[in-house]
Amino acid sequence: MNRIGGYRMKQLPQLKKENGVFNLYVDGKPFVALGGEIHNSSSSNLAYMKEKVWPYLKGLHLNTVILPVYWELIEPVRGEFDFELMDGIIEQAREHNVRLVVLWFGLWKNGRSTYAPGWVKKDYRTFFRARYQNNGISDTISPLCEAAVQADASAFKEWMNHLKKVDGDTHTVIMVQVENEIGFLGSDRDYSDFANATFAAAVPPEAEAAYGISETWTKSFGEDAGEYFMAYHYAKAIERIASAGTEAYPLPMFVNAWLEQFPWRAGTYPSGGPIAKVMKLWKATAPTICLYAPDIYLPNFAEVCAEYTAGNDNPLFIPEARRDIVSATNVFYAIGKFDALCFAPFGIEDFLSPPQDDGGGIDFGLMMALNIDMSAFQLNGTGPYLARSYELLGNMMGIIHKHRGTGKMTGFLQNHDNGCLLSLTEYDLKLSYKRQQEGKPIAGGLVIELSDNEFILAGIGFSAEFLPKRGESAAVGYIRIEEGKFVDNEWIRSRVLNGDEAAYGVGVGSHPAALRIEMYKFE
Ligand code: N0T
């Protein structure tokens, strides 16, 4: 902690890479967000938040809520700002003792410009739209429109300036996502006359720096030229917006991605958004952005985690995850294997609320048109499982922090490996998964080596067997196996399972749970 004139200043939230691991510091202490993102429109009304959102978040053991701040509502008239709504939301978050990650819904949200203020929308000559190939008009303000980027950047700066005033000492808001799932939907690039002329010119120095190329987009990127072109222009726009915000108040800023999906053509997912393929260009163009966050609705969770952390160049931060029951398991895997800094299913206020239409706010028509598997959006009883996963993880977070980046913690996941052999320091650990019944979470979890002979296993639906290292002649045995739980990072044991319960390997049933195991070797 810094002291300025005897006054204790809490450190600004910040992301740091230390000894090869990314740490997010909040008030000077490492932090992992066990989060949830609320529906797009929920934070547009304080009374709605009070009645329909906060009461249902209580039981989930969240430490972080992810919610939008809308350009449209804070600058309804050009140059006139109204922050009353956001002040109220921050107040509510403090009452509920959670941190916030705010999403700047400015020029772009899921590719489109629906959250731009009316005065921006109506002045379509100044704030021009991107066009499709046949010259058809889109509802996306072009990222090549300087005036629009400028207007967004100054609104964003105004907001960050205000945020600093009301939250600069408290840090209820810990991070900011700039725009949401940016990119151009419906085409690989903007085909307006202005964009066509820019596209025909040589690539900018950022592309040269990233890829060592200096030809045109088409010569350099072939079929993917449109996508790289858009990636550059979105990244450039984001850099201007994010750096304007940072000048006012330097919270860590990130962008999120709507991932590539079938049929794998830019435009079926927002073209130019920060998918892994174009991340290098994004990094060269938008240095203010501290991380690239995947919204993981696709079933290949493990592969996406691996892709976004490849080269240990980007921390895993998942601001949106599927709503179905796999999320209760995926969170263990993301934290155990990839040192995730955030996990957050989408539409979190539905998870413990009485049954209602699961899809509130989702454009089902669009999803159908895009051929998207709707199971990602169905709850089917996820809430109570997720709550137990978060409760367990939250109570052992100190132990997790201690082991992040040490090589003494990893994860396993049924959807991915279907059983595996993990190599620990003194043992090999064989994991097999229970065939989970319909409606139960898939199997998976994490393992922590507290010492060479002491382990924590936490997760759902697996059994584990400790084996000697390959080729080793010693036999291995249990000193003891304890079931139990953590309270504030303190292990509180319940039964000791040295008999029938562990005769054929130790395990965890269909609900999130933990075991503490001590092993020994003999010969
Ligand atoms: C997300 C959310 C919200 C299986 C959809 C996902 C949120 C936005 N978009 O509920 O609208 O604001 O960021 C796009 C769908 C991805 C493909 C799913 C494949």
Side-chain angles (χ1 to χ4, degrees):
M1 253 183 236
N2 306 325
R3 266 169 192 278
I4 295 181
Y7 170 71
R8 280 174 146 226
M9 284 262 297
K10 282 195 242 158
Q11 233 177 63
L12 261 187
Q14 56 177 314
L15 180 74
K16 283 196 223 167
K17 192 175 186 183
E18 299 164 311
N19 306 317
V21 63
F22 288 97
N23 292 314
L24 172 62
Y25 285 93
V26 172
D27 293 341
K29 281 182 277 175
F31 187 82
V32 170
L34 299 172
E37 179 165 325
I38 64 174
H39 284 294
N40 294 161
S41 305
S42 299
S43 53
S44 62
N45 185 288
L46 283 179
Y48 183 92
M49 286 294 289
K50 197 167 173 206
E51 268 164 56
K52 308 267 190 176
V53 177
W54 292 113
Y56 303 113
L57 300 188
K58 268 191 192 147
L60 279 169
H61 302 277
L62 305 168
N63 60 16
T64 305
V65 175
I66 305 182
L67 52 80
V69 42
Y70 319 89
W71 184 10
E72 199 227 336
L73 295 184
I74 67 164
E75 195 185 9
V77 176
R78 186 165 206 173
E80 286 177 23
F81 289 89
D82 180 353
F83 296 113
E84 212 182 302
L85 172 66
M86 284 323 290
D87 291 350
I89 299 275
I90 292 170
E91 241 351 280
Q92 291 180 335
R94 286 177 187 157
E95 275 162 34
H96 290 87
N97 204 16
V98 292
R99 305 282 177 163
L100 296 178
V101 171
V102 295
L103 317 171
W104 171 244
F105 280 13
L107 270 175
W108 301 294
K109 145 80 174 96
N110 299 22
R112 301 167 67 198
S113 299
T114 46
Y115 285 90
W119 58 267
V120 172
K121 287 178 175 161
K122 284 190 278 189
D123 189 359
Y124 52 83
R125 294 201 198 280
T126 310
F127 306 115
F128 62 85
R129 304 301 192 273
R131 286 181 184 267
Y132 304 121
Q133 204 152 8
N134 57 10
N135 207 37
I137 190 115
S138 80
D139 190 17
T140 298
I141 292 174
S142 173
L144 285 87
C145 178
E146 293 258 349
V149 174
Q150 188 49 54
D152 180 316
S154 48
F156 184 58
K157 184 172 186 175
E158 201 73 38
W159 150 242
M160 290 306 289
N161 211 1
H162 178 77
L163 184 59
K164 183 185 179 182
K165 265 187 235 145
V166 296
D167 196 48
D169 298 328
T170 316
H171 310 139
T172 297
V173 177
I174 57 172
M175 286 176 94
V176 182
Q177 180 190 292
V178 187
E179 315 292 343
N180 186 77
E181 292 187 347
I182 31 191
F184 190 35
L185 268 178
S187 179
D188 66 332
R189 69 169 172 92
D190 180 358
Y191 285 87
S192 64
D193 291 343
F194 183 64
N196 286 343
T198 316
F199 183 72
V203 299
E206 291 90 336
E208 228 181 303
Y211 302 100
I213 42 142
S214 55
E215 303 261 32
T216 61
W217 292 98
T218 311
K219 284 216 180 106
S220 309
F221 299 102
E223 276 198 326
D224 289 337
E227 185 174 10
Y228 279 86
F229 172 76
M230 292 306 271
Y232 169 69
H233 285 284
Y234 277 110
K236 201 172 132 197
I238 291 296
E239 179 58 20
R240 283 185 59 190
I241 296 164
S243 58
T246 303
E247 263 171 43
Y249 183 32
L251 285 184
M253 297 194 187
F254 68 98
V255 287
N256 67 330
W258 171 330
L259 300 175
E260 283 172 279
Q261 96 247 335
F262 181 80
W264 316 109
R265 285 191 187 161
T268 53
Y269 58 92
S271 181
I275 61 164
K277 180 172 83 180
V278 298
M279 210 193 279
K280 205 171 169 193
L281 181 54
W282 264 88
K283 284 195 169 182
T285 313
T288 302
I289 293 303
C290 74
L291 66 88
Y292 295 86
D295 293 348
I296 315 184
Y297 292 92
L298 296 166
N300 59 339
F301 184 79
E303 285 75 16
V304 175
C305 293
E307 196 183 26
Y308 269 79
T309 52
N312 196 20
D313 230 13
N314 184 53
L316 184 61
F317 189 101
I318 308 167
E320 292 181 44
R322 295 170 70 97
R323 295 153 60 77
D324 63 348
I325 208 149
V326 298
S327 270
T329 313
N330 286 349
V331 62
F332 286 99
Y333 183 69
I335 290 177
K337 171 123 185 178
F338 294 97
D339 297 320
L341 291 174
C342 172
F343 185 87
F346 184 77
I348 198 70
E349 64 269 52
D350 299 340
F351 282 56
L352 292 181
S353 71
Q356 55 186 341
D357 179 9
D358 275 358
I362 297 173
D363 181 350
F364 281 95
L366 175 71
M367 299 289 160
M368 301 298 225
L370 293 173
N371 205 356
I372 281 163
D373 170 13
M374 290 308 297
S375 65
F377 297 94
Q378 267 134 31
L379 277 174
N380 298 335
T382 310
Y385 287 97
L386 184 73
R388 279 179 75 157
S389 296
Y390 276 6
E391 183 178 19
L392 173 55
L393 288 164
N395 271 297
M396 61 183 288
M397 204 44 95
I399 295 155
I400 290 171
H401 285 309
K402 218 172 125 191
H403 292 88
R404 291 177 79 250
T406 62
K408 302 286 181 190
M409 175 169 77
T410 190
F412 44 91
L413 187 65
Q414 183 173 27
N415 270 359
H416 176 56
D417 56 36
N418 245 308
C420 62
L421 193 68
L422 298 175
S423 168
L424 308 178
T425 311
E426 285 293 328
Y427 302 86
D428 282 342
L429 180 63
K430 182 181 153 208
L431 290 150
S432 347
Y433 302 129
K434 305 203 164 140
R435 272 252 302 282
Q436 295 281 74
Q437 291 155 264
E438 252 310 276
K440 302 277 185 209
I442 52 151
L446 58 80
V447 53
I448 296 176
E449 293 186 69
L450 297 172
S451 71
D452 285 355
N453 291 303
E454 291 167 294
F455 308 91
I456 298 293
L457 288 174
I460 305 175
F462 60 86
S463 45
E465 194 185 338
F466 287 84
L467 306 171
K469 295 299 274 184
R470 185 194 261 252
E472 199 186 5
S473 64
V476 306
Y478 300 114
I479 299 289
R480 60 161 43 177
I481 299 158
E482 297 175 355
E483 63 177 9
K485 62 174 181 182
F486 288 95
V487 176
D488 239 342
N489 298 303
E490 205 54 62
W491 175 251
I492 313 286
R493 84 158 174 81
S494 135
R495 295 182 303 169
V496 180
L497 312 173
N498 287 26
D500 284 354
E501 295 84 1
Y504 307 99
V506 293
V508 158
S510 314
H511 291 271
L515 296 169
R516 188 181 193 288
I517 297 165
E518 191 181 339
M519 300 294 302
Y520 76 112
K521 288 185 178 173
F522 59 100
E523 39 196 345

